[in-house]
Amino acid sequence: EAGGNAFIAEYAGTARILDRALWPDPRVDLTVLRALAAPPSYLQALIFQGLNGSSQLLSLLRTYIPEPQILKDMGIPEGTFYANNALYWSQYRSAFAPFDPAKLTDEIDRAIVAPLRDGQTLFDAHPYLTRLATFISPIEMTSDPIFIFNSDLPPLSNVHRATARIQCGDQAYTYCEAPVRYDLPGGQSIWQEHYCSYPSKVGEVIDGPSLLAAYQRAEGGDGTPVADNTKLIAGGVMMHNQAVAAALALPPTALMPDGSPKAPIALAPMNPVNGAGVAGGGGCGCRLGGGAGAPMAASALALALAAAALARRRRQR
């Protein structure tokens, strides 16, 4: 959407967010690994220390703990051999190649652990960090990117938040059936027909551009704008909100001048009663302020009266 040759800045700010992110890892203890003489216990320790799962490790295991030929002849897949190494060790120990835990540990230190230490040293040595991402396809690689430092640009957080406001109303909806308004940091709002279901009126938003704006950056200032989809996106959001308003059959008094919903009922920040979003909750109650618990209280009262009446009938019989 930005012409192919483009990067998106995902983060720009202090490098301290990566302090101790790569190293030291308190789980890693190479001394323990060097002392494990049996392949099954060594592989189990690799899992406990979080060193499993890399392509470098698999290459090393093929060298130092190769699958015995007898198991290959039996059609045992390589992944199955390593995942069930203790079983095969107990049954075919004599077919295993001699194992040197010290040499394998040295190789793991060189190929896996040392790069983590070096990477952490690199982050620790610099106060500022910029993360860029791109999806340039080979056909779009028509020029070499040039990276420059621009101290005029502001920091950019990689945390983005929206506030969901469930429109419970005066006990007009259950928690799951209530419409919800998502307030975005820039002041824009997006509506959803029902909170507990995937948005049904999304075409106007999904079919729109992903790119808000693009710049040809320079050594100072914002640079030169090359794309701006602000109005196009705002129009798509407005059409989406209008579709939600129509689906909810909201009265004219509940709509903004552009046809999108306004607060047709008193706003309530997400506050479920035994509902979604609360650990252990499984219901769909919906309340507003302190007075919306009445339906549940009334139901409980009716249930209690019914139980009392049933008990009286049993005693009469």
Side-chain angles (χ1 to χ4, degrees):
E1 293 181 14
N5 293 336
F7 289 78
I8 182 171
E10 295 183 328
Y11 176 82
T14 175
R16 301 287 66 77
I17 65 170
L18 286 179
D19 285 351
R20 303 177 67 88
L22 301 180
W23 193 261
D25 188 335
R27 299 172 300 173
V28 177
D29 191 334
L30 300 181
T31 302
V32 170
L33 292 178
R34 289 189 174 92
L36 298 174
S41 57
Y42 194 97
L43 292 175
Q44 192 63 38
L46 288 178
I47 295 175
F48 287 146
Q49 295 191 20
L51 294 173
N52 60 312
S54 68
S55 58
Q56 297 97 324
L57 178 62
L58 180 58
S59 177
L60 293 175
L61 293 181
R62 286 169 176 164
T63 300
Y64 289 91
I65 310 179
E67 181 180 358
Q69 187 61 45
I70 187 174
L71 298 180
K72 293 181 179 180
D73 295 340
M74 294 168 58
I76 304 300
E78 183 180 58
T80 302
F81 165 70
Y82 289 117
N84 300 277
N85 193 260
L87 173 64
Y88 297 120
W89 173 259
S90 65
Q91 296 178 356
Y92 304 96
R93 182 178 306 185
S94 61
F96 275 63
F99 176 55
D100 190 335
K103 285 187 177 181
L104 176 54
T105 302
D106 289 341
E107 290 291 338
I108 289 176
D109 188 16
R110 176 192 60 80
I112 300 175
V113 176
L116 295 175
R117 290 195 298 256
D118 295 344
Q120 189 65 59
T121 300
L122 183 64
F123 288 126
D124 293 344
H126 296 83
Y128 202 85
L129 176 70
T130 301
R131 176 186 170 102
L132 301 175
T134 187
F135 299 93
I136 299 177
S137 63
I139 198 173
E140 294 171 327
M141 295 180 183
T142 57
S143 61
D144 293 329
I146 299 175
F147 297 95
I148 58 176
F149 292 95
N150 183 341
S151 59
D152 294 338
L153 297 177
L156 177 66
S157 175
N158 62 342
V159 178
H160 309 282
R161 300 184 184 276
T163 301
R165 298 190 180 276
I166 311 301
Q167 310 295 302
C168 292
D170 187 10
Q171 305 169 11
Y173 298 96
T174 66
Y175 177 72
C176 281
E177 294 174 347
V180 58
R181 191 187 78 194
Y182 294 96
D183 292 337
L184 307 182
Q188 200 172 43
S189 295
I190 299 180
W191 282 71
Q192 182 175 319
E193 193 173 346
H194 304 296
Y195 179 67
C196 291
S197 62
Y198 187 79
S200 57
K201 312 296 181 184
V202 296
E204 299 82 359
V205 178
I206 290 182
D207 294 339
S210 301
L211 172 69
L212 181 67
Y215 295 83
Q216 179 68 52
R217 296 299 189 185
E219 294 184 0
D222 289 337
T224 304
V226 295
D228 187 350
N229 294 321
T230 303
K231 293 183 179 179
L232 185 60
I233 292 175
V237 170
M238 182 184 70
M239 293 177 60
H240 164 84
N241 290 340
Q242 290 173 344
V244 172
L248 294 173
L250 297 178
T253 55
L255 304 179
M256 298 290 286
D258 62 7
S260 62
K262 63 181 178 181
I265 45 187
L267 292 181
M270 189 163 54
N271 189 16
V273 178
N274 296 326
V278 175
C284 287
C286 192
R287 69 181 178 188
L288 178 63
M296 296 185 68
S299 299
L301 178 60
L303 182 60
L305 291 176
L310 178 60
R312 284 197 300 272
R313 285 198 296 271
R314 288 178 175 173
R315 286 197 298 270
Q316 290 170 356
R317 290 173 183 167

